[in-house]
Amino acid sequence: MTVWSRTVVAGWLVALGAVSAVGFVVAGLLVDGQLPLFLWLLLASAALVITGAVRVTVTDRDVTVHAVVLPLVRRRIPHSRIREASARLSRPMELGGWGYRWMPGQTSVSLRAGDALWLELTSGKFFVVTVDDAGEAAELVNGYASQAKGAQRR
């Protein structure tokens, strides 16, 4: 069994989340009567920190993208749900922006411009994650996906 794994970090996104979290905690302590607002803003800051660094892993079972800071936040796609994988250069703006994005027919984790793993799902939708060595991951996913299709036919 071959396993492929890479980590992608958007340092600026993590830093923005951390700095804003500290600012919102300080502001929440100094301003009376606005605690609910500051808690919501603190939650948004935490989301930036959590989604600012992800690990992409391809195993013989699935493709998993999980947050480095909070690994329970994950997206797991079994090979049986993947029609085809490919790699291509992508920019955050064509993927809906930076971070975890939902668009009609496509979900993406876009932390930088550059190499991206594109998974065409059997539903016709796409899952995209920007990650180094996406071509190597796509080859491995296609091999595992064809094995999964062969096992389903038996």
Side-chain angles (χ1 to χ4, degrees), residues 57-97:
T57 305
V58 178
T59 68
D60 61 338
R61 292 182 313 265
D62 55 37
V63 176
T64 303
V65 178
H66 75 267
V68 172
V69 174
L70 189 61
L72 293 175
V73 176
R74 71 179 56 227
R75 174 78 189 264
R76 185 183 158 275
I77 304 170
H79 293 299
S80 61
R81 290 191 44 224
I82 299 171
R83 181 175 293 142
E84 183 179 18
S86 62
R88 62 179 169 223
L89 296 178
S90 301
R91 296 185 330 266
M93 294 318 293
E94 72 182 281
L95 300 175

PDB file of all heavy atoms in Angstrom, residues 57-97:
ATOM      1  N   THR A  57      -4.113  13.638   2.570  1.00  0.00           N
ATOM      2  CA  THR A  57      -3.578  12.279   2.605  1.00  0.00           C
ATOM      3  C   THR A  57      -4.360  11.386   1.654  1.00  0.00           C
ATOM      4  O   THR A  57      -5.588  11.425   1.626  1.00  0.00           O
ATOM      5  CB  THR A  57      -3.661  11.695   4.035  1.00  0.00           C
ATOM      6  OG1 THR A  57      -2.991  12.578   4.936  1.00  0.00           O
ATOM      7  CG2 THR A  57      -3.025  10.320   4.109  1.00  0.00           C
ATOM      8  N   VAL A  58      -3.617  10.594   0.875  1.00  0.00           N
ATOM      9  CA  VAL A  58      -4.213   9.594  -0.012  1.00  0.00           C
ATOM     10  C   VAL A  58      -3.765   8.231   0.491  1.00  0.00           C
ATOM     11  O   VAL A  58      -2.572   7.973   0.604  1.00  0.00           O
ATOM     12  CB  VAL A  58      -3.765   9.784  -1.479  1.00  0.00           C
ATOM     13  CG1 VAL A  58      -4.356   8.696  -2.366  1.00  0.00           C
ATOM     14  CG2 VAL A  58      -4.132  11.174  -1.998  1.00  0.00           C
ATOM     15  N   THR A  59      -4.744   7.388   0.832  1.00  0.00           N
ATOM     16  CA  THR A  59      -4.446   6.008   1.228  1.00  0.00           C
ATOM     17  C   THR A  59      -5.175   5.077   0.268  1.00  0.00           C
ATOM     18  O   THR A  59      -5.850   5.533  -0.653  1.00  0.00           O
ATOM     19  CB  THR A  59      -4.929   5.711   2.674  1.00  0.00           C
ATOM     20  OG1 THR A  59      -6.357   5.738   2.688  1.00  0.00           O
ATOM     21  CG2 THR A  59      -4.362   6.707   3.672  1.00  0.00           C
ATOM     22  N   ASP A  60      -5.084   3.782   0.502  1.00  0.00           N
ATOM     23  CA  ASP A  60      -5.790   2.830  -0.357  1.00  0.00           C
ATOM     24  C   ASP A  60      -7.298   2.861  -0.128  1.00  0.00           C
ATOM     25  O   ASP A  60      -8.056   2.287  -0.899  1.00  0.00           O
ATOM     26  CB  ASP A  60      -5.250   1.416  -0.158  1.00  0.00           C
ATOM     27  CG  ASP A  60      -5.429   0.912   1.264  1.00  0.00           C
ATOM     28  OD1 ASP A  60      -5.570   1.739   2.193  1.00  0.00           O
ATOM     29  OD2 ASP A  60      -5.417  -0.316   1.451  1.00  0.00           O
ATOM     30  N   ARG A  61      -7.762   3.557   0.906  1.00  0.00           N
ATOM     31  CA  ARG A  61      -9.194   3.655   1.203  1.00  0.00           C
ATOM     32  C   ARG A  61      -9.835   4.941   0.707  1.00  0.00           C
ATOM     33  O   ARG A  61     -10.975   4.923   0.274  1.00  0.00           O
ATOM     34  CB  ARG A  61      -9.430   3.552   2.717  1.00  0.00           C
ATOM     35  CG  ARG A  61      -9.119   2.197   3.306  1.00  0.00           C
ATOM     36  CD  ARG A  61      -9.418   2.185   4.794  1.00  0.00           C
ATOM     37  NE  ARG A  61      -8.870   3.354   5.485  1.00  0.00           N
ATOM     38  CZ  ARG A  61      -7.692   3.387   6.106  1.00  0.00           C
ATOM     39  NH1 ARG A  61      -6.942   2.321   6.144  1.00  0.00           N
ATOM     40  NH2 ARG A  61      -7.273   4.481   6.698  1.00  0.00           N
ATOM     41  N   ASP A  62      -9.099   6.087   0.838  1.00  0.00           N
ATOM     42  CA  ASP A  62      -9.750   7.363   0.583  1.00  0.00           C
ATOM     43  C   ASP A  62      -8.752   8.506   0.427  1.00  0.00           C
ATOM     44  O   ASP A  62      -7.552   8.315   0.582  1.00  0.00           O
ATOM     45  CB  ASP A  62     -10.717   7.699   1.724  1.00  0.00           C
ATOM     46  CG  ASP A  62     -10.053   7.685   3.100  1.00  0.00           C
ATOM     47  OD1 ASP A  62      -8.883   8.102   3.216  1.00  0.00           O
ATOM     48  OD2 ASP A  62     -10.710   7.254   4.063  1.00  0.00           O
ATOM     49  N   VAL A  63      -9.306   9.672   0.141  1.00  0.00           N
ATOM     50  CA  VAL A  63      -8.572  10.933   0.171  1.00  0.00           C
ATOM     51  C   VAL A  63      -9.133  11.701   1.361  1.00  0.00           C
ATOM     52  O   VAL A  63     -10.344  11.853   1.488  1.00  0.00           O
ATOM     53  CB  VAL A  63      -8.775  11.755  -1.119  1.00  0.00           C
ATOM     54  CG1 VAL A  63      -8.067  13.097  -1.014  1.00  0.00           C
ATOM     55  CG2 VAL A  63      -8.294  10.977  -2.337  1.00  0.00           C
ATOM     56  N   THR A  64      -8.243  12.143   2.248  1.00  0.00           N
ATOM     57  CA  THR A  64      -8.671  12.877   3.432  1.00  0.00           C
ATOM     58  C   THR A  64      -7.968  14.222   3.484  1.00  0.00           C
ATOM     59  O   THR A  64      -6.766  14.308   3.250  1.00  0.00           O
ATOM     60  CB  THR A  64      -8.356  12.091   4.718  1.00  0.00           C
ATOM     61  OG1 THR A  64      -8.983  10.816   4.650  1.00  0.00           O
ATOM     62  CG2 THR A  64      -8.850  12.817   5.956  1.00  0.00           C
ATOM     63  N   VAL A  65      -8.733  15.257   3.777  1.00  0.00           N
ATOM     64  CA  VAL A  65      -8.190  16.587   4.024  1.00  0.00           C
ATOM     65  C   VAL A  65      -8.620  16.950   5.431  1.00  0.00           C
ATOM     66  O   VAL A  65      -9.813  16.980   5.730  1.00  0.00           O
ATOM     67  CB  VAL A  65      -8.734  17.625   3.013  1.00  0.00           C
ATOM     68  CG1 VAL A  65      -8.189  19.006   3.320  1.00  0.00           C
ATOM     69  CG2 VAL A  65      -8.391  17.212   1.592  1.00  0.00           C
ATOM     70  N   HIS A  66      -7.638  17.168   6.321  1.00  0.00           N
ATOM     71  CA  HIS A  66      -8.004  17.529   7.692  1.00  0.00           C
ATOM     72  C   HIS A  66      -7.201  18.730   8.162  1.00  0.00           C
ATOM     73  O   HIS A  66      -6.083  18.969   7.712  1.00  0.00           O
ATOM     74  CB  HIS A  66      -7.870  16.346   8.653  1.00  0.00           C
ATOM     75  CG  HIS A  66      -6.470  16.008   9.020  1.00  0.00           C
ATOM     76  ND1 HIS A  66      -5.732  15.086   8.345  1.00  0.00           N
ATOM     77  CD2 HIS A  66      -5.662  16.475  10.001  1.00  0.00           C
ATOM     78  CE1 HIS A  66      -4.533  14.985   8.885  1.00  0.00           C
ATOM     79  NE2 HIS A  66      -4.465  15.829   9.890  1.00  0.00           N
ATOM     80  N   ALA A  67      -7.808  19.478   9.080  1.00  0.00           N
ATOM     81  CA  ALA A  67      -7.155  20.640   9.666  1.00  0.00           C
ATOM     82  C   ALA A  67      -5.999  20.174  10.542  1.00  0.00           C
ATOM     83  O   ALA A  67      -6.150  19.233  11.325  1.00  0.00           O
ATOM     84  CB  ALA A  67      -8.155  21.443  10.486  1.00  0.00           C
ATOM     85  N   VAL A  68      -4.854  20.830  10.407  1.00  0.00           N
ATOM     86  CA  VAL A  68      -3.687  20.475  11.214  1.00  0.00           C
ATOM     87  C   VAL A  68      -3.943  20.826  12.676  1.00  0.00           C
ATOM     88  O   VAL A  68      -3.621  20.049  13.573  1.00  0.00           O
ATOM     89  CB  VAL A  68      -2.420  21.192  10.685  1.00  0.00           C
ATOM     90  CG1 VAL A  68      -1.244  21.004  11.617  1.00  0.00           C
ATOM     91  CG2 VAL A  68      -2.082  20.687   9.281  1.00  0.00           C
ATOM     92  N   VAL A  69      -4.546  21.972  12.926  1.00  0.00           N
ATOM     93  CA  VAL A  69      -4.784  22.447  14.291  1.00  0.00           C
ATOM     94  C   VAL A  69      -5.847  21.619  15.005  1.00  0.00           C
ATOM     95  O   VAL A  69      -5.730  21.354  16.202  1.00  0.00           O
ATOM     96  CB  VAL A  69      -5.196  23.938  14.281  1.00  0.00           C
ATOM     97  CG1 VAL A  69      -5.587  24.423  15.661  1.00  0.00           C
ATOM     98  CG2 VAL A  69      -4.068  24.788  13.721  1.00  0.00           C
ATOM     99  N   LEU A  70      -6.876  21.205  14.274  1.00  0.00           N
ATOM    100  CA  LEU A  70      -7.979  20.445  14.860  1.00  0.00           C
ATOM    101  C   LEU A  70      -8.339  19.306  13.906  1.00  0.00           C
ATOM    102  O   LEU A  70      -9.232  19.423  13.086  1.00  0.00           O
ATOM    103  CB  LEU A  70      -9.189  21.365  15.088  1.00  0.00           C
ATOM    104  CG  LEU A  70     -10.352  20.811  15.878  1.00  0.00           C
ATOM    105  CD1 LEU A  70      -9.934  20.437  17.294  1.00  0.00           C
ATOM    106  CD2 LEU A  70     -11.475  21.849  15.925  1.00  0.00           C
ATOM    107  N   PRO A  71      -7.606  18.172  13.999  1.00  0.00           N
ATOM    108  CA  PRO A  71      -7.771  17.077  13.034  1.00  0.00           C
ATOM    109  C   PRO A  71      -9.180  16.493  12.932  1.00  0.00           C
ATOM    110  O   PRO A  71      -9.496  15.811  11.967  1.00  0.00           O
ATOM    111  CB  PRO A  71      -6.779  16.025  13.522  1.00  0.00           C
ATOM    112  CG  PRO A  71      -5.770  16.780  14.312  1.00  0.00           C
ATOM    113  CD  PRO A  71      -6.525  17.911  14.944  1.00  0.00           C
ATOM    114  N   LEU A  72     -10.033  16.758  13.913  1.00  0.00           N
ATOM    115  CA  LEU A  72     -11.407  16.267  13.825  1.00  0.00           C
ATOM    116  C   LEU A  72     -12.179  16.973  12.713  1.00  0.00           C
ATOM    117  O   LEU A  72     -13.185  16.451  12.243  1.00  0.00           O
ATOM    118  CB  LEU A  72     -12.128  16.462  15.158  1.00  0.00           C
ATOM    119  CG  LEU A  72     -11.591  15.617  16.314  1.00  0.00           C
ATOM    120  CD1 LEU A  72     -12.290  15.983  17.618  1.00  0.00           C
ATOM    121  CD2 LEU A  72     -11.747  14.141  16.022  1.00  0.00           C
ATOM    122  N   VAL A  73     -11.706  18.157  12.316  1.00  0.00           N
ATOM    123  CA  VAL A  73     -12.312  18.871  11.195  1.00  0.00           C
ATOM    124  C   VAL A  73     -11.705  18.278   9.938  1.00  0.00           C
ATOM    125  O   VAL A  73     -10.539  18.512   9.621  1.00  0.00           O
ATOM    126  CB  VAL A  73     -12.044  20.395  11.275  1.00  0.00           C
ATOM    127  CG1 VAL A  73     -12.589  21.107  10.054  1.00  0.00           C
ATOM    128  CG2 VAL A  73     -12.634  20.961  12.550  1.00  0.00           C
ATOM    129  N   ARG A  74     -12.493  17.462   9.247  1.00  0.00           N
ATOM    130  CA  ARG A  74     -11.951  16.731   8.103  1.00  0.00           C
ATOM    131  C   ARG A  74     -12.999  16.497   7.041  1.00  0.00           C
ATOM    132  O   ARG A  74     -14.195  16.501   7.309  1.00  0.00           O
ATOM    133  CB  ARG A  74     -11.354  15.406   8.534  1.00  0.00           C
ATOM    134  CG  ARG A  74     -12.361  14.362   8.969  1.00  0.00           C
ATOM    135  CD  ARG A  74     -11.722  13.036   9.376  1.00  0.00           C
ATOM    136  NE  ARG A  74     -10.745  13.233  10.413  1.00  0.00           N
ATOM    137  CZ  ARG A  74      -9.518  12.698  10.386  1.00  0.00           C
ATOM    138  NH1 ARG A  74      -9.155  11.923   9.407  1.00  0.00           N
ATOM    139  NH2 ARG A  74      -8.662  12.926  11.357  1.00  0.00           N
ATOM    140  N   ARG A  75     -12.503  16.248   5.841  1.00  0.00           N
ATOM    141  CA  ARG A  75     -13.343  15.825   4.718  1.00  0.00           C
ATOM    142  C   ARG A  75     -12.723  14.549   4.194  1.00  0.00           C
ATOM    143  O   ARG A  75     -11.544  14.523   3.845  1.00  0.00           O
ATOM    144  CB  ARG A  75     -13.362  16.925   3.646  1.00  0.00           C
ATOM    145  CG  ARG A  75     -14.072  16.556   2.371  1.00  0.00           C
ATOM    146  CD  ARG A  75     -15.596  16.647   2.523  1.00  0.00           C
ATOM    147  NE  ARG A  75     -16.287  16.108   1.390  1.00  0.00           N
ATOM    148  CZ  ARG A  75     -16.737  16.817   0.364  1.00  0.00           C
ATOM    149  NH1 ARG A  75     -16.574  18.108   0.330  1.00  0.00           N
ATOM    150  NH2 ARG A  75     -17.361  16.224  -0.625  1.00  0.00           N
ATOM    151  N   ARG A  76     -13.492  13.489   4.168  1.00  0.00           N
ATOM    152  CA  ARG A  76     -13.017  12.174   3.730  1.00  0.00           C
ATOM    153  C   ARG A  76     -13.820  11.759   2.516  1.00  0.00           C
ATOM    154  O   ARG A  76     -15.052  11.765   2.549  1.00  0.00           O
ATOM    155  CB  ARG A  76     -13.218  11.179   4.872  1.00  0.00           C
ATOM    156  CG  ARG A  76     -12.677   9.824   4.598  1.00  0.00           C
ATOM    157  CD  ARG A  76     -12.993   8.888   5.777  1.00  0.00           C
ATOM    158  NE  ARG A  76     -12.944   7.537   5.318  1.00  0.00           N
ATOM    159  CZ  ARG A  76     -13.940   6.879   4.730  1.00  0.00           C
ATOM    160  NH1 ARG A  76     -15.092   7.458   4.546  1.00  0.00           N
ATOM    161  NH2 ARG A  76     -13.784   5.651   4.319  1.00  0.00           N
ATOM    162  N   ILE A  77     -13.111  11.398   1.435  1.00  0.00           N
ATOM    163  CA  ILE A  77     -13.776  10.980   0.202  1.00  0.00           C
ATOM    164  C   ILE A  77     -13.281   9.580  -0.173  1.00  0.00           C
ATOM    165  O   ILE A  77     -12.125   9.415  -0.576  1.00  0.00           O
ATOM    166  CB  ILE A  77     -13.498  11.969  -0.949  1.00  0.00           C
ATOM    167  CG1 ILE A  77     -13.930  13.379  -0.533  1.00  0.00           C
ATOM    168  CG2 ILE A  77     -14.204  11.531  -2.220  1.00  0.00           C
ATOM    169  CD1 ILE A  77     -13.495  14.460  -1.479  1.00  0.00           C
ATOM    170  N   PRO A  78     -14.129   8.568  -0.040  1.00  0.00           N
ATOM    171  CA  PRO A  78     -13.731   7.203  -0.428  1.00  0.00           C
ATOM    172  C   PRO A  78     -13.463   7.137  -1.938  1.00  0.00           C
ATOM    173  O   PRO A  78     -14.092   7.847  -2.724  1.00  0.00           O
ATOM    174  CB  PRO A  78     -14.946   6.350  -0.066  1.00  0.00           C
ATOM    175  CG  PRO A  78     -15.804   7.198   0.799  1.00  0.00           C
ATOM    176  CD  PRO A  78     -15.497   8.616   0.474  1.00  0.00           C
ATOM    177  N   HIS A  79     -12.546   6.279  -2.331  1.00  0.00           N
ATOM    178  CA  HIS A  79     -12.205   6.142  -3.754  1.00  0.00           C
ATOM    179  C   HIS A  79     -13.403   5.716  -4.588  1.00  0.00           C
ATOM    180  O   HIS A  79     -13.485   6.049  -5.766  1.00  0.00           O
ATOM    181  CB  HIS A  79     -11.037   5.167  -3.950  1.00  0.00           C
ATOM    182  CG  HIS A  79      -9.756   5.679  -3.382  1.00  0.00           C
ATOM    183  ND1 HIS A  79      -9.152   6.834  -3.818  1.00  0.00           N
ATOM    184  CD2 HIS A  79      -8.969   5.207  -2.391  1.00  0.00           C
ATOM    185  CE1 HIS A  79      -8.052   7.044  -3.137  1.00  0.00           C
ATOM    186  NE2 HIS A  79      -7.911   6.074  -2.250  1.00  0.00           N
ATOM    187  N   SER A  80     -14.330   5.019  -3.982  1.00  0.00           N
ATOM    188  CA  SER A  80     -15.513   4.582  -4.733  1.00  0.00           C
ATOM    189  C   SER A  80     -16.387   5.763  -5.163  1.00  0.00           C
ATOM    190  O   SER A  80     -17.217   5.621  -6.048  1.00  0.00           O
ATOM    191  CB  SER A  80     -16.340   3.601  -3.892  1.00  0.00           C
ATOM    192  OG  SER A  80     -16.780   4.237  -2.702  1.00  0.00           O
ATOM    193  N   ARG A  81     -16.199   6.932  -4.557  1.00  0.00           N
ATOM    194  CA  ARG A  81     -16.965   8.122  -4.917  1.00  0.00           C
ATOM    195  C   ARG A  81     -16.205   9.032  -5.879  1.00  0.00           C
ATOM    196  O   ARG A  81     -16.679  10.119  -6.213  1.00  0.00           O
ATOM    197  CB  ARG A  81     -17.322   8.921  -3.660  1.00  0.00           C
ATOM    198  CG  ARG A  81     -18.350   8.201  -2.791  1.00  0.00           C
ATOM    199  CD  ARG A  81     -18.901   9.086  -1.683  1.00  0.00           C
ATOM    200  NE  ARG A  81     -19.227  10.415  -2.151  1.00  0.00           N
ATOM    201  CZ  ARG A  81     -18.910  11.534  -1.487  1.00  0.00           C
ATOM    202  NH1 ARG A  81     -18.261  11.475  -0.349  1.00  0.00           N
ATOM    203  NH2 ARG A  81     -19.257  12.712  -1.971  1.00  0.00           N
ATOM    204  N   ILE A  82     -15.006   8.606  -6.323  1.00  0.00           N
ATOM    205  CA  ILE A  82     -14.180   9.434  -7.199  1.00  0.00           C
ATOM    206  C   ILE A  82     -14.206   8.871  -8.615  1.00  0.00           C
ATOM    207  O   ILE A  82     -13.861   7.710  -8.837  1.00  0.00           O
ATOM    208  CB  ILE A  82     -12.729   9.512  -6.683  1.00  0.00           C
ATOM    209  CG1 ILE A  82     -12.715  10.153  -5.292  1.00  0.00           C
ATOM    210  CG2 ILE A  82     -11.849  10.293  -7.660  1.00  0.00           C
ATOM    211  CD1 ILE A  82     -11.379  10.099  -4.596  1.00  0.00           C
ATOM    212  N   ARG A  83     -14.640   9.696  -9.554  1.00  0.00           N
ATOM    213  CA  ARG A  83     -14.649   9.300 -10.962  1.00  0.00           C
ATOM    214  C   ARG A  83     -13.254   9.441 -11.551  1.00  0.00           C
ATOM    215  O   ARG A  83     -12.776   8.557 -12.245  1.00  0.00           O
ATOM    216  CB  ARG A  83     -15.640  10.168 -11.745  1.00  0.00           C
ATOM    217  CG  ARG A  83     -15.729   9.788 -13.230  1.00  0.00           C
ATOM    218  CD  ARG A  83     -16.808  10.570 -13.951  1.00  0.00           C
ATOM    219  NE  ARG A  83     -18.119  10.149 -13.424  1.00  0.00           N
ATOM    220  CZ  ARG A  83     -19.148  10.971 -13.225  1.00  0.00           C
ATOM    221  NH1 ARG A  83     -19.038  12.247 -13.488  1.00  0.00           N
ATOM    222  NH2 ARG A  83     -20.285  10.498 -12.758  1.00  0.00           N
ATOM    223  N   GLU A  84     -12.610  10.570 -11.278  1.00  0.00           N
ATOM    224  CA  GLU A  84     -11.276  10.812 -11.836  1.00  0.00           C
ATOM    225  C   GLU A  84     -10.576  11.907 -11.044  1.00  0.00           C
ATOM    226  O   GLU A  84     -11.217  12.833 -10.554  1.00  0.00           O
ATOM    227  CB  GLU A  84     -11.381  11.240 -13.293  1.00  0.00           C
ATOM    228  CG  GLU A  84     -10.046  11.432 -13.965  1.00  0.00           C
ATOM    229  CD  GLU A  84     -10.162  11.841 -15.419  1.00  0.00           C
ATOM    230  OE1 GLU A  84     -11.238  12.308 -15.841  1.00  0.00           O
ATOM    231  OE2 GLU A  84      -9.153  11.706 -16.117  1.00  0.00           O
ATOM    232  N   ALA A  85      -9.266  11.792 -10.951  1.00  0.00           N
ATOM    233  CA  ALA A  85      -8.443  12.812 -10.299  1.00  0.00           C
ATOM    234  C   ALA A  85      -7.509  13.418 -11.331  1.00  0.00           C
ATOM    235  O   ALA A  85      -7.046  12.734 -12.242  1.00  0.00           O
ATOM    236  CB  ALA A  85      -7.633  12.190  -9.168  1.00  0.00           C
ATOM    237  N   SER A  86      -7.252  14.711 -11.175  1.00  0.00           N
ATOM    238  CA  SER A  86      -6.295  15.392 -12.056  1.00  0.00           C
ATOM    239  C   SER A  86      -5.597  16.475 -11.260  1.00  0.00           C
ATOM    240  O   SER A  86      -6.003  16.807 -10.145  1.00  0.00           O
ATOM    241  CB  SER A  86      -7.015  15.988 -13.274  1.00  0.00           C
ATOM    242  OG  SER A  86      -7.968  16.956 -12.867  1.00  0.00           O
ATOM    243  N   ALA A  87      -4.542  16.996 -11.840  1.00  0.00           N
ATOM    244  CA  ALA A  87      -3.803  18.084 -11.209  1.00  0.00           C
ATOM    245  C   ALA A  87      -3.698  19.227 -12.209  1.00  0.00           C
ATOM    246  O   ALA A  87      -3.501  19.002 -13.400  1.00  0.00           O
ATOM    247  CB  ALA A  87      -2.407  17.610 -10.816  1.00  0.00           C
ATOM    248  N   ARG A  88      -3.877  20.444 -11.704  1.00  0.00           N
ATOM    249  CA  ARG A  88      -3.694  21.612 -12.558  1.00  0.00           C
ATOM    250  C   ARG A  88      -3.437  22.834 -11.692  1.00  0.00           C
ATOM    251  O   ARG A  88      -3.785  22.866 -10.512  1.00  0.00           O
ATOM    252  CB  ARG A  88      -4.862  21.817 -13.488  1.00  0.00           C
ATOM    253  CG  ARG A  88      -6.178  22.065 -12.832  1.00  0.00           C
ATOM    254  CD  ARG A  88      -7.263  22.281 -13.884  1.00  0.00           C
ATOM    255  NE  ARG A  88      -8.563  22.250 -13.257  1.00  0.00           N
ATOM    256  CZ  ARG A  88      -9.604  21.630 -13.739  1.00  0.00           C
ATOM    257  NH1 ARG A  88      -9.526  20.972 -14.858  1.00  0.00           N
ATOM    258  NH2 ARG A  88     -10.756  21.664 -13.110  1.00  0.00           N
ATOM    259  N   LEU A  89      -2.845  23.824 -12.324  1.00  0.00           N
ATOM    260  CA  LEU A  89      -2.585  25.072 -11.626  1.00  0.00           C
ATOM    261  C   LEU A  89      -3.909  25.790 -11.397  1.00  0.00           C
ATOM    262  O   LEU A  89      -4.741  25.877 -12.301  1.00  0.00           O
ATOM    263  CB  LEU A  89      -1.632  25.951 -12.436  1.00  0.00           C
ATOM    264  CG  LEU A  89      -0.235  25.381 -12.643  1.00  0.00           C
ATOM    265  CD1 LEU A  89       0.602  26.324 -13.510  1.00  0.00           C
ATOM    266  CD2 LEU A  89       0.455  25.148 -11.309  1.00  0.00           C
ATOM    267  N   SER A  90      -4.098  26.289 -10.191  1.00  0.00           N
ATOM    268  CA  SER A  90      -5.351  26.949  -9.833  1.00  0.00           C
ATOM    269  C   SER A  90      -5.056  28.171  -8.978  1.00  0.00           C
ATOM    270  O   SER A  90      -4.054  28.214  -8.261  1.00  0.00           O
ATOM    271  CB  SER A  90      -6.249  25.989  -9.046  1.00  0.00           C
ATOM    272  OG  SER A  90      -6.525  24.838  -9.811  1.00  0.00           O
ATOM    273  N   ARG A  91      -5.963  29.146  -9.055  1.00  0.00           N
ATOM    274  CA  ARG A  91      -5.858  30.363  -8.250  1.00  0.00           C
ATOM    275  C   ARG A  91      -7.050  30.425  -7.298  1.00  0.00           C
ATOM    276  O   ARG A  91      -8.152  30.002  -7.659  1.00  0.00           O
ATOM    277  CB  ARG A  91      -5.849  31.594  -9.154  1.00  0.00           C
ATOM    278  CG  ARG A  91      -4.647  31.653 -10.072  1.00  0.00           C
ATOM    279  CD  ARG A  91      -4.591  32.940 -10.887  1.00  0.00           C
ATOM    280  NE  ARG A  91      -5.887  33.541 -11.215  1.00  0.00           N
ATOM    281  CZ  ARG A  91      -6.559  33.316 -12.346  1.00  0.00           C
ATOM    282  NH1 ARG A  91      -6.074  32.505 -13.257  1.00  0.00           N
ATOM    283  NH2 ARG A  91      -7.724  33.912 -12.561  1.00  0.00           N
ATOM    284  N   PRO A  92      -6.850  30.982  -6.120  1.00  0.00           N
ATOM    285  CA  PRO A  92      -7.962  31.072  -5.167  1.00  0.00           C
ATOM    286  C   PRO A  92      -9.213  31.731  -5.745  1.00  0.00           C
ATOM    287  O   PRO A  92     -10.326  31.283  -5.459  1.00  0.00           O
ATOM    288  CB  PRO A  92      -7.385  31.898  -4.010  1.00  0.00           C
ATOM    289  CG  PRO A  92      -5.926  31.577  -4.045  1.00  0.00           C
ATOM    290  CD  PRO A  92      -5.595  31.460  -5.517  1.00  0.00           C
ATOM    291  N   MET A  93      -9.064  32.745  -6.554  1.00  0.00           N
ATOM    292  CA  MET A  93     -10.244  33.439  -7.065  1.00  0.00           C
ATOM    293  C   MET A  93     -11.093  32.560  -7.987  1.00  0.00           C
ATOM    294  O   MET A  93     -12.300  32.714  -8.045  1.00  0.00           O
ATOM    295  CB  MET A  93      -9.856  34.737  -7.765  1.00  0.00           C
ATOM    296  CG  MET A  93      -9.255  35.770  -6.806  1.00  0.00           C
ATOM    297  SD  MET A  93     -10.093  35.916  -5.204  1.00  0.00           S
ATOM    298  CE  MET A  93     -11.651  36.582  -5.678  1.00  0.00           C
ATOM    299  N   GLU A  94     -10.483  31.626  -8.698  1.00  0.00           N
ATOM    300  CA  GLU A  94     -11.280  30.721  -9.529  1.00  0.00           C
ATOM    301  C   GLU A  94     -11.917  29.606  -8.701  1.00  0.00           C
ATOM    302  O   GLU A  94     -12.818  28.926  -9.173  1.00  0.00           O
ATOM    303  CB  GLU A  94     -10.449  30.139 -10.679  1.00  0.00           C
ATOM    304  CG  GLU A  94      -9.419  29.107 -10.247  1.00  0.00           C
ATOM    305  CD  GLU A  94      -8.575  28.586 -11.384  1.00  0.00           C
ATOM    306  OE1 GLU A  94      -9.042  27.726 -12.152  1.00  0.00           O
ATOM    307  OE2 GLU A  94      -7.434  29.057 -11.485  1.00  0.00           O
ATOM    308  N   LEU A  95     -11.457  29.461  -7.471  1.00  0.00           N
ATOM    309  CA  LEU A  95     -11.998  28.431  -6.576  1.00  0.00           C
ATOM    310  C   LEU A  95     -12.960  29.016  -5.549  1.00  0.00           C
ATOM    311  O   LEU A  95     -13.406  28.315  -4.649  1.00  0.00           O
ATOM    312  CB  LEU A  95     -10.851  27.705  -5.860  1.00  0.00           C
ATOM    313  CG  LEU A  95      -9.854  26.983  -6.775  1.00  0.00           C
ATOM    314  CD1 LEU A  95      -8.697  26.416  -5.968  1.00  0.00           C
ATOM    315  CD2 LEU A  95     -10.548  25.905  -7.582  1.00  0.00           C
ATOM    316  N   GLY A  96     -13.249  30.298  -5.666  1.00  0.00           N
ATOM    317  CA  GLY A  96     -14.193  30.930  -4.749  1.00  0.00           C
ATOM    318  C   GLY A  96     -13.551  31.760  -3.661  1.00  0.00           C
ATOM    319  O   GLY A  96     -14.234  32.314  -2.816  1.00  0.00           O
ATOM    320  N   GLY A  97     -12.241  31.823  -3.621  1.00  0.00           N
ATOM    321  CA  GLY A  97     -11.537  32.612  -2.604  1.00  0.00           C
ATOM    322  C   GLY A  97     -10.597  31.738  -1.786  1.00  0.00           C
ATOM    323  O   GLY A  97     -10.332  30.595  -2.124  1.00  0.00           O
TER     324      GLY A  97
END
